[in-house]
Amino acid sequence: DVKVTQSSRYLVKRTGEKVFLECVQDMDHENMFWYRQDPGLGLRLIYFSYDVKMKEKGDIPEGYSVSREKKERFSLILESASTNQTSMYLCASDVRRDQPQHFGDGTRLSIL
Amino acid sequence: AQSVTQLDSQVPVFEEAPVELRCNYSSSVSVYLFWYVQYPNQGLQLLLKYLSGSTLVESINGFEAEFNKSQTSFHLRKPSVHISDTAEYFCAVSGPLTHQLTFGKGTKLSVIP
């Protein structure tokens, strides 16, 4: 089975801090994704990557950046955390667009 | 652009009763359709998918969904629900021309004993 592992289940940070969320997948998938999930809004795509060192903006990239230096690892970076970035963050990967995405268990991030 | 509408944010249903969770999508091109389930404190898991072919697709735990192109719908059904089906369900759409998976806002299914 595909395993997508997010480094933290819960994280508390302060406003203005630089925050790193890490995601690793073990199935050699080309494509990786970062979403945020908020009550009543569903999942919204922040960034995705279809190859090492490649990235594409999703629907809500403002305030975020990403890094993909190795195929299995995709990092989400909050350059200067703000309280409106308090949310559940989900990482996913897939092998191609007609195959389902596999999700990690999420990181619940609180910015105080 | 593609979009997904899940018409009900919450659906309470008694155990062993049937349930339908509604999903409508909009897209100008052919689509791939998915239903994902999210149990408390977990990520999303694929429930079933439609890519092409038979319009009725089934999951291993008794759910089914029917792709209706004329009504642009992909409703999820189960004839008899269990307590363990309590979860949030997300409908999603993508297509051959886009890698972006667009999700609906989710439907919380609560099964009442």
Side-chain angles (χ1 to χ4, degrees):
Chain A
D1 270 356
V2 176
K3 184 73 173 175
V4 179
T5 303
Q6 295 184 231
S7 55
S8 304
R9 291 298 304 274
Y10 301 93
L11 207 53
V12 180
K13 297 290 182 181
R14 297 201 175 276
T15 55
E17 280 192 69
K18 190 169 186 176
V19 181
F20 293 85
L21 302 184
E22 305 289 344
C23 175
V24 176
Q25 51 95 2
D26 66 357
M27 282 300 291
D28 203 34
H29 283 175
E30 302 291 333
N31 312 302
M32 297 188 74
F33 308 83
W34 274 106
Y35 297 89
R36 66 176 281 175
Q37 181 181 12
D38 300 289
L41 297 180
L43 276 75
R44 293 178 292 168
L45 182 65
I46 306 171
Y47 269 97
F48 68 99
S49 169
Y50 51 88
D51 200 354
V52 175
K53 297 190 184 294
M54 304 300 288
K55 61 185 179 183
E56 292 282 345
K57 292 180 180 179
D59 297 321
I60 51 165
E62 296 78 18
Y64 303 95
S65 63
V66 290
S67 173
R68 194 166 181 201
E69 296 296 321
K70 293 184 177 181
K71 191 174 186 179
E72 67 271 18
R73 185 178 298 270
F74 193 35
S75 303
L76 180 69
I77 304 158
L78 286 66
E79 296 290 344
S80 178
S82 63
T83 54
N84 63 11
Q85 292 178 309
T86 291
S87 186
M88 169 71 87
Y89 289 87
L90 291 165
C91 176
S93 71
D94 72 21
V95 62
R96 58 177 192 265
R97 64 191 67 191
D98 64 344
Q99 295 301 307
Q101 292 184 11
H102 297 264
F103 285 82
D105 284 338
T107 296
R108 190 168 293 282
L109 176 64
S110 296
I111 306 297
L112 304 179
Chain B
Q2 53 196 24
S3 65
V4 177
T5 301
Q6 290 183 244
L7 296 164
D8 305 296
S9 60
Q10 298 189 48
V11 173
V13 62
F14 285 104
E15 193 174 14
E16 298 184 5
V19 70
E20 179 180 81
L21 307 183
R22 296 179 291 171
C23 172
N24 287 90
Y25 68 92
S26 68
S27 176
S28 58
V29 296
S30 59
V31 294
Y32 303 140
L33 292 159
F34 304 84
W35 276 100
Y36 286 85
V37 59
Q38 185 179 34
Y39 299 104
N41 298 315
Q42 294 185 23
L44 277 68
Q45 303 172 32
L46 179 71
L47 193 59
L48 45 75
K49 64 181 179 182
Y50 170 80
L51 304 179
S52 63
S54 172
T55 57
L56 185 66
V57 291
E58 298 177 351
S59 73
I60 58 173
N61 57 355
F63 283 92
E64 64 178 30
E66 186 162 17
F67 170 58
N68 187 320
K69 188 174 181 179
S70 63
Q71 298 188 3
T72 61
S73 68
F74 190 56
H75 301 331
L76 182 70
R77 302 182 182 95
K78 189 170 186 180
S80 175
V81 296
H82 303 286
I83 296 291
S84 59
D85 294 324
T86 294
E88 190 161 16
Y89 293 80
F90 292 92
C91 182
V93 61
S94 70
L97 300 181
T98 174
H99 208 134
Q100 190 159 331
L101 192 60
T102 300
F103 286 87
K105 294 182 178 181
T107 298
K108 288 186 177 178
L109 174 64
S110 299
V111 180
I112 305 163

